[in-house]
């Protein structure tokens, strides 16, 4: 019933530094996963409209093709589940 805290070794000396190092490695790994996920989200959420084409947003869960705004050359930002339909001009 008398359990020692996890930061104590068997011989009773403190190993706080090793616990901190281990927690830092775990935190660093989680941070790297979040950074990769955010970069992937940004990469999926943009489309490039090349010169000579125009584009409109496609919202499959909303009102469908959004014809009010026509996008010319450049980057079009959208949610990952939406798309962009390109037309030659």
């Amino acid at each position: 019933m008398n359990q020692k805290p996890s930061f104590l070794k068997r011989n009773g000396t403190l190993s706080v530094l090793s616990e901190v190092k281990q927690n830092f490695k775990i935190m660093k790994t989680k941070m790297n996963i979040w950074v990769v996920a955010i970069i992937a989200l940004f990469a999926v959420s943009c489309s490039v409209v090349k010169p000579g084409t125009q584009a409109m947003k496609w919202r499959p869960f909303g009102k469908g093709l959004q014809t009010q705004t026509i996008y010319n050359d450049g980057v079009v930002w959208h949610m990952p589940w939406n798309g962009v339909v390109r037309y030659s001009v």
Side-chain angles (χ1 to χ4, degrees), residues 28-64:
K28 188 176 175 183
T29 302
K30 288 181 181 180
M31 184 65 74
N32 288 341
I33 292 171
W34 275 106
V35 168
V36 168
I38 290 171
I39 289 172
L41 182 68
F42 276 114
V44 173
S45 298
C46 73
S47 296
V48 177
V49 181
K50 296 180 181 179
T53 61
Q54 291 181 339
M56 292 182 268
K57 285 188 180 179
W58 168 252
R59 294 188 174 142
F61 302 115
K63 298 178 180 178

